[in-house]
């Protein structure tokens, strides 16, 4: 079985015709479980969770319109999972929990895109990498991975090592493996699954998320996985999944997790 749980409509519209372009591509790619997980910051209802100039300029959706799109799809017997990708925001656990519990999501993705005021994966902030201490940024990033896991608010952590996106990677392997170890220990004690994301292949890093060493630790600690493309365009749905499956199997995975209305079922991989 194949899943693709991490996809976005933000470059198009919250309309059925546009959604169907993603659905149709998922069928071509033989995706068994497909879901849309729009960025939570786009919605007016999340202003009390994450707010900064970059985010606020991109807040233009209402959750009612989002939910109505899925209701229309389901009415037409279209099998698509409703999700959200929420920027994990330290200190906002109560607000995140209130938002998540207000909607009947099939699953919820938590991701880390911000280290304080630093948008780590944004082109607009790329020059900041040369101004900041790399070890400090990595430590603070993985601190958030740990508290994300400890919150137990999320079913999936998105692109767990997104911090490597622009190829800024510590040369000190001992330091890096320590970050991986403490992050996976926290995840192993939570309900949170890890996604193998092919999006990294389309980014400057040119590699899958996560690093094989990090994924090996996930397997060794019995952390379940899902497959995701993080597609922002229909043609990227299910992209390069053969590589994702190969990576998963290389570290020992034989199953992945599926979700429906918060319930999870482990199924054979690939």
């Amino acid at each position: 079985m194949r899943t693709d749980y991490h996809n976005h409509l933000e470059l198009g519209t919250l309309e059925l015709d546009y959604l169907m372009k993603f659905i149709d591509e998922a069928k071509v790619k033989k995706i068994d479980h497909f879901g849309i997980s729009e960025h939570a910051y786009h919605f007016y209802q999340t202003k009390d969770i994450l707010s900064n100039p970059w985010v606020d300029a991109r807040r233009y959706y209402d959750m009612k319109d989002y939910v109505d799109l899925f209701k229309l799809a389901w009415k037409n017997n279209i099998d698509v999972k409703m999700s959200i990708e929420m920027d994990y925001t330290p200190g906002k656990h109560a607000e995140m929990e209130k938002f998540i519990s207000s909607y009947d999501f099939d699953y919820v993705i938590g991701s880390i895109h911000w280290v304080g005021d630093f948008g780590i994966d944004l082109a607009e902030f790329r020059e900041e990498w040369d101004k900041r201490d790399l070890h400090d940024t990595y430590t603070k990033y993985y601190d958030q991975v740990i508290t994300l896991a400890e919150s137990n608010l999320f079913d999936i952590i998105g692109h767990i090592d997104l911090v490597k996106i622009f190829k800024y990677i510590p040369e000190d392997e001992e330091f890096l493996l320590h970050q991986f170890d403490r992050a996976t220990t926290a995840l192993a004690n939570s309900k949170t699954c890890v996604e193998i994301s092919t999006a990294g292949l389309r980014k400057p890093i040119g590699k899958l998320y996560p690093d094989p060493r990090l994924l090996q630790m996930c397997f060794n600690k019995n952390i379940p996985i899902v497959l995701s493309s993080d597609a922002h365009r229909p043609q990227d749905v299910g992209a390069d999944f053969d590589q994702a499956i190969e990576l998963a199997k290389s570290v020992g995975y034989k199953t992945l997790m599926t979700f429906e209305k918060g319930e999870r079922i482990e199924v054979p991989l690939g």
Side-chain angles (χ1 to χ4, degrees), residues 121 126 138 159 161-170 176 197-213:
D121 65 328
R126 189 165 180 173
Y138 264 69
H159 37 61
D161 56 346
L162 178 70
V163 69
K164 72 185 182 187
I165 185 170
F166 292 125
K167 301 182 182 180
Y168 287 87
I169 302 172
L176 188 60
S197 172
T198 60
L201 297 172
R202 306 189 298 275
K203 304 297 183 180
I205 186 63
K207 296 181 179 179
L208 294 165
Y209 305 118
D211 181 292
R213 296 167 295 179

Side-chain angles (χ1 to χ4, degrees), residues 22-163:
F22 286 77
I23 299 292
D24 290 342
E25 187 66 22
K27 291 177 180 177
V28 170
K29 299 285 181 58
K30 299 181 179 180
I31 305 299
D32 302 283
H33 275 229
F34 178 79
I36 296 293
S37 52
E38 198 49 76
H39 287 290
Y41 65 74
H42 284 315
F43 296 93
Y44 302 125
Q45 287 82 357
T46 62
K47 187 172 177 61
D48 64 334
I49 298 173
L50 177 64
S51 180
N52 62 48
W54 191 94
V55 164
D56 292 341
R58 293 160 177 81
R59 198 185 310 279
Y60 43 63
Y61 287 154
D62 191 288
M63 278 299 296
K64 182 181 183 304
D65 297 326
Y66 191 60
V67 173
D68 284 349
L69 171 61
F70 288 92
K71 287 182 177 179
L72 180 59
W74 298 332
K75 183 179 179 181
N76 285 276
N77 296 314
I78 299 168
D79 185 10
V80 57
K81 311 304 177 189
M82 182 176 75
S83 175
I84 205 83
E85 181 187 7
M86 173 158 284
D87 285 273
Y88 172 74
T89 308
K92 295 289 185 175
H93 286 201
E95 291 86 349
M96 289 187 291
E97 183 174 14
K98 180 180 178 182
F99 174 81
I100 291 168
S101 64
S102 296
Y103 303 96
D104 194 18
F105 295 120
D106 287 291
Y107 57 93
V108 179
I109 298 173
S111 298
I112 299 160
H113 298 93
W114 297 89
V115 175
D117 60 354
F118 180 20
I120 60 167
D121 65 328
L122 300 175
E124 297 93 323
F125 289 79
R126 189 165 180 173
E127 63 184 21
E128 285 291 317
W129 280 101
D130 293 319
K131 301 176 182 178
R132 297 172 182 249
D133 180 84
L134 186 59
H135 284 67
D136 181 64
T137 297
Y138 264 69
T139 299
K140 290 177 178 176
Y141 177 87
Y142 281 101
D143 283 347
Q144 288 192 56
V145 173
I146 291 167
T147 51
L148 181 157
E150 290 174 344
S151 76
N152 232 24
L153 290 171
F154 307 99
D155 299 294
I156 301 166
I157 181 169
H159 37 61
I160 182 173
D161 56 346
L162 178 70
V163 69

Side-chain angles (χ1 to χ4, degrees), residues 185-243:
T185 296
L187 288 164
N189 291 316
S190 77
K191 71 174 185 179
T192 317
C193 300
V194 167
E195 69 173 15
I196 299 180
S197 172
T198 60
L201 297 172
R202 306 189 298 275
K203 304 297 183 180
I205 186 63
K207 296 181 179 179
L208 294 165
Y209 305 118
D211 181 292
R213 296 167 295 179
L214 175 50
L215 189 63
Q216 185 68 64
M217 289 187 190
C218 290
F219 176 76
N220 293 346
K221 298 178 185 180
N222 298 312
I223 300 169
I225 58 166
V226 299
L227 304 179
S228 293
S229 64
D230 199 353
H232 289 67
R233 306 177 303 165
Q235 59 265 41
D236 289 332
V237 170
D240 301 306
F241 266 25
D242 288 346
Q243 292 188 50

